[in-house]
Each structure stands twice: as structure tokens, then as C-alpha cells.
């Protein structure tokens, strides 16, 4: 596959992205889920349109010791350097960047993941608030009948949370709570993170080998009584 887009290295060609996906980080706990998903998407040559809420910046600094640079351009450069990816594969937008592709149904990717997804973001999406770019991008995917995946991380869930999630599920939104399983006998936090990220990749119909699917891994041994 060839492409007219070039990387920063003279004389080299960057393969055209296989797909484009909007990924949003919001202020729920679970920053590492979103970070790992971003890594996996980029390694699969998926162009990522990245949206980061103000609360997500606080959560990433707290949970991942990662402080995003202030403006979208410097943040994009920071992440390209950290993740060692082509600049063509990552675009970062501000919360009020209404002229970005993700703000319009005529240009936005048909697929979006909000990971992690705060219950406040769930509520705003459920009621079509569109007060910032994350909410607008999700609204666009719903109205264009695309694929929207929300990964909420909250406990316990109130009746309000459940009602909002049910409302979105009835619209075809995929609700994937950050609730990793344990049947793969995880040995680390990374194993738990990979469980959820693998499930997201499966729903995105992207190949993954970070976590074996049920029935394809050796059965766990059972200790004798």
C-alpha cells in the first residue's frame, strides 16, 4: 500500500491509515485503559482523532504521572514523541475546536470510543448537550448511525446513571463498563487493563493478540481439594 503522505524522515513513505477512529479521554478513573487503547490503535496504523477533557488531564496526571502539554499542537507533538508514531496517525483537538473534522457528520470518523467515560459525559451524551467537542463528536456518531463505545468506570451506579446508560444502549451505543474478568488468571494490573482493551478492539473489529479469547487459551488448572 502506498501513500502520498510522508513522515518527518526525508525519502520515506508513511502507509495510509487503515482506519480513522475518534478517541476521547474523560475524567473517570481508569486513565491507563485509554492510554493502552491509544497505543494499540496506533500500532495497527489507525489514525486517531484524540480529545482530552480538562478533568482527564487531572486524572492522567494523578494515575499515570502524565501531564499533557497545554495547547493541542504541543500536546500532539508530545504524544508523537512519547509513542514514537507518525504525526500523520495522531490529531489532537481542543475542547472548543468546532472546526475539527469530528464536529461534523460530513467529515467525522464513523467510529468513536470514550475511554474512560465519566458518568457526567454519559449524561451529556444521553441528552445531546454538545457543550464541548467530546459531547458533539459523540452526538455526531449517534446521528450518523455510526459505532459509539462508552467505557464507564464508576461504582456504585445510581438510578440516574443506569437510566442514562439504558437510554444510550437503546440508541445502539455499546456500553462496556471497565470491569475486567479474571478467568485469564491475571498476574498484574497490565493484564487487567489488557483484558478490557482487547474487548474494545474486538468490538472495533480490529485484530488483537494481547488477550486470548475464551476457549482459545489453555484451561486453568484446578487445585486438588
Amino acid at each position: 500500500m502506498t501513500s502520498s503522505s510522508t513522515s518527518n524522515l526525508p525519502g520515506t513513505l508513511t502507509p495510509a491509515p487503515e482506519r480513522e477512529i475518534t478517541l476521547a479521554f474523560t475524567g473517570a478513573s481508569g486513565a491507563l485503559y485509554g492510554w493502552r487503547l491509544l497505543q494499540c490503535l496506533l500500532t495497527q496504523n489507525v489514525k486517531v482523532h484524540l480529545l482530552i477533557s480538562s478533568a482527564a488531564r487531572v486524572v492522567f496526571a494523578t494515575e499515570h504521572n502524565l501531564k499533557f502539554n497545554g495547547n493541542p499542537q504541543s500536546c500532539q507533538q508530545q504524544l508523537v514523541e512519547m509513542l514514537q508514531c507518525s504525526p500523520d496517525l495522531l490529531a489532537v483537538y481542543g475542547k472548543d475546536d468546532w472546526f475539527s473534522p469530528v464536529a461534523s457528520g460530513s467529515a467525522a470518523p464513523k467510529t468513536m470510543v470514550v475511554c474512560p467515560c465519566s458518568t457526567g459525559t454519559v449524561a451529556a451524551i444521553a441528552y445531546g448537550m454538545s457543550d464541548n467537542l467530546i459531547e458533539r463528536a459523540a452526538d455526531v456518531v449517534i446521528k450518523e448511525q455510526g459505532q459509539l463505545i462508552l467505557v464507564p468506570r464508576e461504582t456504585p451506579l445510581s438510578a440516574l446513571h443506569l437510566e442514562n446508560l439504558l437510554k444510550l444502549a437503546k440508541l445502539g451505543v455499546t456500553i462496556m463498563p471497565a470491569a475486567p474478568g479474571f478467568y485469564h488468571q491475571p498476574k498484574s494490573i497490565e493484564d487487567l487493563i489488557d483484558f478490557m482493551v482487547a474487548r474494545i478492539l474486538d468490538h472495533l473489529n480490529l485484530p488483537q493478540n494481547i488477550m486470548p479469547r475464551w476457549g482459545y487459551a489453555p484451561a486453568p488448572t484446578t487445585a486438588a481439594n
Side-chain angles (χ1 to χ4, degrees):
M1 181 181 298
T2 61
S3 170
S4 58
S5 63
T6 59
S7 69
N8 291 335
L9 297 176
T12 63
L13 291 176
T14 300
E18 296 292 337
R19 288 179 60 183
E20 295 191 26
I21 289 176
T22 303
L23 173 62
F25 299 153
T26 66
S29 182
L32 287 174
Y33 290 116
W35 183 252
R36 178 63 165 146
L37 178 59
L38 175 61
Q39 290 177 317
C40 291
L41 292 175
L42 293 174
T43 57
Q44 294 203 38
N45 199 38
V46 174
K47 179 169 183 176
V48 178
H49 298 261
L50 183 62
L51 315 176
I52 308 170
S53 74
S54 299
R57 291 174 177 269
V58 176
V59 173
F60 266 84
T62 302
E63 297 184 352
H64 195 40
N65 199 29
L66 172 58
K67 295 183 178 180
F68 294 113
N69 289 345
N71 64 68
Q73 292 75 24
S74 61
C75 183
Q76 178 175 343
Q77 182 177 357
Q78 172 194 18
L79 293 176
V80 165
E81 293 173 356
M82 289 183 64
L83 297 167
Q84 294 294 293
C85 69
S86 166
D88 296 333
L89 287 180
L90 182 62
V92 181
Y93 306 106
K95 64 178 182 178
D96 297 320
D97 193 352
W98 303 114
F99 290 97
S100 65
V102 301
S104 172
S106 65
K110 301 302 182 186
T111 305
M112 180 176 179
V113 183
V114 186
C115 177
C117 184
S118 68
T119 52
T121 300
V122 169
I125 295 172
Y127 284 89
M129 301 301 291
S130 295
D131 284 337
N132 59 49
L133 190 59
I134 292 176
E135 297 166 10
R136 170 59 183 170
D139 190 39
V140 166
V141 173
I142 292 174
K143 79 181 184 69
E144 297 294 325
Q145 299 184 345
Q147 181 185 26
L148 176 60
I149 298 175
L150 304 183
V151 186
R153 211 299 317 163
E154 185 63 85
T155 189
L157 293 170
S158 73
L160 281 175
H161 302 151
L162 294 169
E163 287 172 359
N164 291 334
L165 291 169
L166 177 60
K167 182 176 182 178
L168 289 170
K170 288 181 176 180
L171 293 174
V173 176
T174 300
I175 309 299
M176 296 187 66
F182 289 84
Y183 54 78
H184 62 299
Q185 298 185 348
K187 302 298 189 298
S188 65
I189 291 176
E190 288 74 18
D191 289 343
L192 295 174
I193 293 167
D194 278 354
F195 181 97
M196 281 305 308
V197 173
R199 294 292 289 128
I200 296 169
L201 294 173
D202 286 342
H203 276 261
L204 293 173
N205 198 28
L206 287 170
Q208 62 86 14
N209 58 10
I210 61 175
M211 187 61 55
R213 295 176 178 85
W214 179 263
Y216 289 86
T221 57
T222 302
N225 293 328

